[in-house]
Amino acid sequence: MNIDQLKEYIRFYTLNKCPQGNQGFNRVLLQLFGYLGHGKSSLINSCKYVLQDRDTEFTMIAQSGAADGGLTMERKSYQLTQTITMVDNRGCSTLNGYETGEIYAQLGNFIPLDQKVEWTKEFEEMMNRLEGSDVEPTFTDIIVPIFVYSVKKDLTDAETQEIKTFLTNCRNITGIFPIIVLTNKTSGNFSKFRDLFEGMGAEEIFAVENFTEEDHFETRGRHLQFLNMMYKVLEDVNFKMQKKIDPKRERAKHKIFLLTFLHKRDQQKNVKENSVLNFKQVRVGNY
């Protein structure tokens, strides 16, 4: 499809046209994740821009941060079309169990949109939040995880393993392997990171140069970067919707996964704290 055909398909996409119909779903959430300052907010601005009419001026609907300090502190939604909403997120400093626990809760739709993101460390606190989400549960969103990474940054072996585990868990929750969007493609070694994420199991990897206030020069190729990414997202949704899906059962499976994850996280935390305590007691005894 050419640019105009891609844009029209995305703008007028509806879950009603899926093979099994909408099955009780009415919205596609493109949920962004990633480290601080890797271009999540700028990606939203870029996607919104390319879907608008060509004579529309570039505007920043999502406030983006510079360098390593992201500005987003909440899970904030931006409607792209009648069906598609893009969701910005607080950037992670590290993909440890505390930050990923919050993310998995978001992927299971247990955390409301447009609220401040808190890295919850206490098991009881997260359990209370889960119980609260059952008062008015949300069943009607198909969530597609999108992992945003800047090729200007390097990765340690430990970070690579953290990301691999994270991506696999995202797939297990949503049924869709996270789309990888590599930003700042002209400022780093794109092929290196493409190979790295392919090794983690990534199926769709896109390299983009986000539109910004300083640089929103339009070219055909630059528009296609974002349109092709959104088109592939919708193809993944269509593939998932070929099967019979019960939204309520889906949410129940998500909750089981999250409860298991939180329980293991709490056990590991207790083991670590007990080890530190025993070590301190031994040192005191030796003196």
Side-chain angles (χ1 to χ4, degrees), residues 9 13 28 142 144-145 174-180 203-204 206 229-242:
Y9 177 82
Y13 177 87
V28 177
I142 292 282
V144 180
T174 63
I176 298 173
F177 200 98
I179 304 290
I180 307 299
E203 299 167 351
E204 300 289 353
F206 295 90
M229 184 271 291
M230 288 185 277
Y231 176 74
K232 286 294 184 182
V233 165
L234 297 179
E235 279 197 324
D236 282 346
V237 172
N238 289 338
F239 182 79
K240 178 175 180 176
M241 293 288 284
Q242 287 177 3

Side-chain angles (χ1 to χ4, degrees), residues 16-33:
N16 297 331
K17 294 183 179 179
C18 290
Q20 304 283 350
N22 64 42
Q23 302 192 71
F25 298 100
N26 59 26
R27 181 170 62 175
V28 177
L29 290 186
L30 311 186
Q31 177 67 73
L32 304 186
F33 302 107

Side-chain angles (χ1 to χ4, degrees), residues 147-282:
F147 188 77
V148 181
Y149 193 87
S150 170
V151 300
K152 293 197 295 185
K153 316 291 184 178
D154 215 344
L155 276 174
T156 65
D157 290 341
E159 288 171 334
T160 300
Q161 186 56 50
E162 281 183 342
I163 294 174
K164 183 177 181 180
T165 300
F166 169 72
L167 296 179
T168 300
N169 285 337
C170 290
R171 179 205 64 186
N172 293 343
I173 297 172
T174 63
I176 298 173
F177 200 98
I179 304 290
I180 307 299
V181 177
L182 299 176
T183 60
N184 304 116
K185 73 168 191 174
T186 60
S187 303
N189 190 342
F190 159 66
S191 60
K192 168 189 171 182
F193 286 99
R194 178 195 59 206
D195 294 345
L196 189 64
F197 280 98
E198 282 182 349
M200 297 181 197
E203 299 167 351
E204 300 289 353
I205 303 172
F206 295 90
V208 302
E209 197 69 51
N210 282 323
F211 291 99
T212 64
E213 281 190 307
E214 297 75 26
D215 179 13
H216 48 269
F217 189 85
E218 295 183 87
T219 65
R220 175 179 173 275
R222 200 171 181 184
H223 272 251
L224 280 172
Q225 294 169 10
F226 301 99
L227 292 172
N228 283 330
M229 184 271 291
M230 288 185 277
Y231 176 74
K232 286 294 184 182
V233 165
L234 297 179
E235 279 197 324
D236 282 346
V237 172
N238 289 338
F239 182 79
K240 178 175 180 176
M241 293 288 284
Q242 287 177 3
K243 296 177 64 176
K244 287 281 187 181
I245 304 174
D246 183 330
K248 293 184 178 180
R249 290 184 180 274
E250 284 281 295
R251 191 176 189 277
K253 288 194 299 184
H254 298 162
K255 190 170 184 178
I256 291 171
F257 173 91
L258 185 58
L259 289 174
T260 302
F261 173 84
L262 294 173
H263 178 64
K264 289 181 178 178
R265 186 186 76 175
D266 195 56
Q267 285 183 318
Q268 292 169 351
K269 175 188 173 186
N270 291 336
V271 169
K272 184 176 181 180
E273 288 177 349
N274 289 335
S275 297
V276 172
L277 180 61
N278 291 336
F279 176 72
K280 289 180 177 178
Q281 289 174 341
V282 169

Side-chain angles (χ1 to χ4, degrees), residues 94-104 120 162 261-262 265 268:
T94 175
L95 290 175
N96 60 31
Y98 301 124
E99 297 184 0
T100 55
E102 172 77 17
I103 291 172
Y104 301 150
T120 306
E162 281 183 342
F261 173 84
L262 294 173
R265 186 186 76 175
Q268 292 169 351

